Amino acid sequence: MLARVIELINEYLKINAIRRMFSMVNIRKSEILGLVGLAALFAVFEGVGLSMLLPILQYAESGETAITTGSGVIWSSAANILRALNLPVTLVVLLLLAFIPILLRQVVYYFNAWYSAIVANRIGVRMRVNTLNAVLDADPSFFDRQPVGHLVGIAVTQTEAAGEAVLWVVKQLSVSLLMLLYVAIMIALSVPLTGITVVFALLVAVVVKHSITRIRDFGIDAADVNQRMMAKIVERFGLMRLVKMRDQKTLESRRIEEYSETMRDIRVKQARLGASVEVYADPLLMLSVFVTLYIGIAHLGMTLAQLGLMLFVLNRLNAKVKEFNTGRQMISTKMAGLLLVRQTTAEAAEANTIHRGSVAFDGLESSLVFDDVSFDYPQSQGLDGEILDEATSVLRGISAGIPAGSLTALVGRSGGGKSTLVELIPRLRDATSGSITLDGIDIRQFDVGTLRKGIGYLTQDAMLFNESIRENLVYGLDYEPTDDQIRDAVERAYAGFVYELPRGLDTMLGDRGVRFSGGERQRIALARVLLEDTSILILDEPTSALDSESETFIQEALAKLHGEKTIITVAHRLATVIQADQLFVIDDGQIIERGTHEELIGRDGAYHKLFASQLLG
Ligand code: ADP
Ligand code: MG
């Protein structure tokens, strides 16, 4: 029986849930101590102030004799205080004695509210930063699985909700302390009546439990709909041209309307449940007041003063019980945010398999060697854990040497594994087996930051931000380039056109660089890579989406780098392939032919076929 009561109280105050939550949100010990300390101080002043009401009421009832007849802790401590301060027992003095703690209580209230806001917002910021860090540390495989809008929703909306959930938990903490205090005062007045009140408060908790659980479930549904809606909107905005070309405006806006309607239904249900909590709780709490009154008068023969204080305290306790219920509702509503943030952070951390290493990479001097490298794309899972794709073996037994300063071209049919292979060098993915070494050092031993910064990487997508050209050019550079250095790189990348723009380098690019043509964007991206001045350059079909004039510009820029940098390029144009020092033909995850253009063209093999099919035209 006792165990059951303790369990109920534990369940009511959600002590375990609170402990679990605090372990999730990395709140500091000092912060918990500060918050609890302030809440306790508030409770102390509140308690002293309230307790003083009893002597006042008793004084009103029976005048000065109260001090001699009035027994019990409260009167004796009041009398002690008055004696110590050398004050006479008058109504004014008693009222003052009650009023001073109330004033102090408000001062503490102010600091408590202030500090709570500080802590809750700090937690919100910490959660956002933690989430972002975890997401930015995750391997590309994590991003392959997660829609961008979903991640935006987590980083912006759900971390905010999580911070609010914590704020409400913190509030619950001070409400709980006050409830305990009121119960303590009531115990001083009458143990049996306190028992009855506590039973009613627990009864309220049990009655509204079901509604609160459903509010939490709806909170989870709402967060889920919110996430899916954001993912859809971000995706559709990204493919606006397709939406327009298929004339799908009505359908797309209808789709978002449907999400919004689902959301509205959930919110309305939540509000209705919230109202029902009030409806159930209020009569029960009133009833507890009446029962207390009845038993106090009819069976315990309490004085008017005792009853008055009892009612006063009961009233405040009931207000706190209601506040506590509101808190439970708010936590239930916001909890989904915290859970989503936790889940995403955990998934991101799990997808963080690239360990950093410690050797600083400062340029390739002799050679890059692939030794029996294989790579499997891991099995991919949906959000609910179902298996979407089995693991696929993409590269098998790749062995190759690339001398420093040489130009190596990878050619082959689409889907052969060329992009995957070059992504292994900057460790965007790690080989499943085998090793890749730079000057004899395994790439896994390098500090991954210095390794990546030591490699220039240009893909089909020019990778530019919606910022000024200058900001794009200097993004992530370790030094501040002079205007001359920038001009030099821009000119070597045949991107001199940027100086003819009215605002020059300060021209904004627009989202995904829409203000420029594909060729112009790629030349700006190349200028950035040249500013980085890395010893290794990886090019993954940077010209495949360009017109032949732009392509020629890029080709010429690269030809000038031949011999200066170690260049590995995925190519399908003859112009690049002819000048390469060595060619690898990659098909179905293996190197099936290797040599120079002259050597390979002479054989009647895969390369010859590619050539004949005009893939290398
Ligand atoms: P290439 O660049 O030669 O066209 P890729 O390296 O892009 O080839 O792809 C090689 C193979 O890996 C393809 O069969 C492709 O379907 C598969 N693949 C590429 N990316 C992923 C991924 N994120 N998850 C699973 N399989 C992938
Ligand atoms: Mg590719």
Side-chain angles (χ1 to χ4, degrees), residues 415 418-420 460 540-541 570:
K418 305 179 293 295
S419 298
T420 309
Q460 201 168 332
D540 190 356
E541 307 197 48
V570 178

Side-chain angles (χ1 to χ4, degrees), residues 445-521:
Q445 288 176 21
F446 287 111
D447 170 70
V448 75
T450 61
L451 173 70
R452 287 176 184 163
K453 282 192 157 186
I455 296 172
Y457 181 53
L458 209 56
T459 65
Q460 201 168 332
D461 170 19
M463 299 196 283
L464 297 172
F465 294 115
N466 179 15
E467 287 171 358
S468 69
I469 294 175
R470 186 192 301 275
E471 283 167 304
N472 271 289
L473 289 177
V474 303
Y475 181 74
L477 281 189
D478 283 335
Y479 66 103
E480 183 109 30
T482 62
D483 285 347
D484 286 342
Q485 282 171 314
I486 292 182
R487 185 176 281 274
D488 175 60
V490 165
E491 273 164 9
R492 279 194 294 148
Y494 291 90
F497 67 91
V498 299
Y499 287 107
E500 273 135 50
L501 297 167
R503 302 192 53 210
L505 291 180
D506 295 319
T507 310
M508 299 297 286
L509 273 113
D511 252 349
R512 280 161 290 132
V514 286
R515 290 200 45 192
F516 294 98
S517 76
E520 289 168 336
R521 265 180 299 178

Side-chain angles (χ1 to χ4, degrees), residues 512-585:
R512 280 161 290 132
V514 286
R515 290 200 45 192
F516 294 98
S517 76
E520 289 168 336
R521 265 180 299 178
Q522 202 58 282
R523 275 135 74 193
I524 295 172
L526 179 63
R528 166 169 68 208
V529 169
L530 295 181
L531 264 181
E532 287 164 2
D533 196 26
T534 55
S535 60
I536 301 175
L537 208 49
I538 293 176
L539 308 160
D540 190 356
E541 307 197 48
T543 61
S544 64
L546 304 187
D547 57 284
S548 55
E549 193 196 354
S550 301
E551 185 178 11
T552 313
F553 280 134
I554 302 263
Q555 296 289 7
E556 281 177 21
L558 293 178
K560 289 190 187 145
L561 296 171
H562 189 177
E564 191 185 311
K565 294 179 190 292
T566 311
I567 305 176
I568 301 164
T569 174
V570 178
H572 56 269
R573 302 289 168 119
L574 197 59
T576 314
V577 168
I578 286 177
Q579 46 172 317
D581 300 308
Q582 60 177 342
L583 282 165
F584 295 119
V585 182

